[in-house]
Amino acid sequence: MLTQQIVNGIVVGSVYALIALGYTLVYGILQLINFAHGEIYMMGAYVGIAVLAVLGAMGVTEQSLAISILLVFLVPMVYCAAYGVTLERVAYRPLRRAPRLSPLISAIGMSIFLQNYVQVAQGARERAFPNLLHLGSFELMGAHVSGLQVFILAAALAMMAGLQVFIHKTRLGRAMRATALDRTMASLVGVDVNRVIAMTFAIGSILAAVAGVMVGMYYGVVNHYIGFVAGIKAFTAAVLGGIGNVTGALLGGFLLALLESFWAGYVSAVYKDVFAFAVLIVVLIFRPEGILGGSAAETDRS
């Protein structure tokens, strides 16, 4: 039982961590909570369904599983990246010099708009997400582990490692860290701040799209409301780890999912969402800077 809850928590935590990274990247640069980020994740799942439908109609899913898997991730990543950049350009950039409450209200407005847009376009009912991967399962220390869980965890860890390399080893990554430290100074030394911010939204949206497809594959169904719940949980994970801190977002994602898994396994699965919100309240009261907040956040940016 304990091992099973740990396995479930780690797999779900990898998804939370991917979404939380989008929150923390944007906050690190703009000090903005992008509440529409959860809806980007939801749209990634819906685009994945659309891609699978097209590939199925063309017979590609029967001819090549590898190409189908590649496209079902790649197309939502590109689509959501474009959406994230557009969101920043339309809803946030015009308010960059406005009081901090204005972009926050704009973010909530965009979240509601995107949620209702998908509801109108796709309907209010749940949509089935076809399962392409039939990877079997095995026993690990008494826990039932499916091949899909291993695939999700491996893909998520690869994305996280790739992001760390990108941030610390590439020119754009260094520009992102410089912009996060001091936007004005970064622009004075030649950093194109607008481009950096747009790329930050694109990267966060790509991670959210991957998480959306993973969740669709894992649970088999999606609806227009999944972005709100997952977005709040990922935000909780980002706050728990220390929002603005990339390592903290990863830590918070796994920690929140493990706590949630233990709660569902030993207390009540019905109230596991309530438990996640309770964690957010407790963190905001007793340690609002998060586990790795404060000086650790500065270390992470440097």
Side-chain angles (χ1 to χ4, degrees):
M1 183 71 172
L2 175 64
T3 313
Q4 187 67 61
Q5 300 308 326
I6 293 174
V7 169
N8 294 342
I10 290 175
V11 173
V12 175
S14 65
V15 175
Y16 287 171
L18 285 180
I19 309 172
L21 284 170
Y23 279 105
T24 213
L25 286 174
V26 170
Y27 185 85
I29 289 182
L30 289 177
Q31 283 72 55
L32 165 70
I33 306 297
N34 178 19
F35 281 114
H37 189 62
E39 275 58 50
I40 298 288
Y41 147 85
M42 175 265 292
M43 292 180 71
Y46 271 97
V47 175
I49 292 176
V51 172
L52 282 175
V54 173
L55 294 178
M58 296 172 64
V60 177
T61 53
E62 296 179 356
Q63 296 173 7
S64 176
L65 179 62
I67 292 177
S68 300
I69 293 296
L70 178 65
L71 291 176
V72 83
F73 278 98
L74 188 60
V75 175
M77 288 165 68
V78 173
Y79 184 91
C80 289
Y83 230 102
V85 172
T86 305
L87 184 69
E88 186 276 329
R89 186 70 182 85
V90 172
Y92 301 138
R93 190 179 298 184
L95 301 174
R96 204 174 288 170
R97 298 183 184 278
R100 295 186 66 176
L101 192 59
S102 299
L104 190 64
I105 294 172
S106 181
I108 295 172
M110 289 306 300
S111 171
I112 296 172
F113 168 77
L114 291 175
Q115 195 177 116
N116 284 273
Y117 165 72
V118 172
Q119 181 183 7
V120 171
Q122 299 293 325
R125 293 184 177 179
E126 291 185 333
R127 297 284 301 273
F129 199 109
N131 182 19
L132 285 179
L133 293 174
H134 302 282
L135 302 175
S137 61
F138 59 92
E139 296 291 326
L140 177 65
M141 300 175 65
H144 179 81
V145 183
S146 69
L148 181 59
Q149 287 178 314
V150 175
F151 172 80
I152 290 174
L153 181 59
L157 291 176
M159 294 291 292
M160 295 172 198
L163 178 66
Q164 291 284 3
V165 172
F166 176 82
I167 290 176
H168 291 95
K169 300 295 182 182
T170 67
R171 185 173 183 177
L172 182 57
R174 288 192 291 272
M176 289 172 64
R177 286 185 287 143
T179 306
L181 283 173
D182 192 320
R183 204 187 314 169
T184 303
M185 287 301 296
S187 63
L188 289 175
V189 297
V191 173
D192 187 342
V193 172
N194 286 332
R195 177 171 172 266
V196 168
I197 293 173
M199 288 302 300
T200 302
F201 273 84
I203 293 168
S205 300
I206 287 172
L207 296 173
V210 171
V213 174
M214 285 178 173
V215 166
M217 295 171 69
Y218 191 49
Y219 292 110
V221 294
V222 299
N223 59 56
H224 68 281
Y225 200 64
I226 62 171
F228 174 76
V229 176
I232 292 294
K233 290 184 179 180
F235 173 65
T236 303
V239 172
L240 178 61
I243 194 161
N245 186 311
V246 173
T247 308
L250 301 178
L251 175 65
F254 283 108
L255 188 57
L256 176 66
L258 284 170
L259 291 173
E260 193 179 81
S261 180
F262 291 142
W263 178 274
Y266 294 107
V267 182
S268 171
V270 176
Y271 294 106
K272 68 175 185 177
D273 292 342
V274 176
F275 174 73
F277 299 144
V279 170
L280 175 61
I281 294 171
V282 170
V283 172
L284 289 175
I285 292 175
F286 293 103
R287 191 171 173 81
E289 72 273 22
I291 297 173
L292 299 181
S295 57
E298 299 301 327
T299 303
D300 190 71
R301 293 176 187 175
S302 62

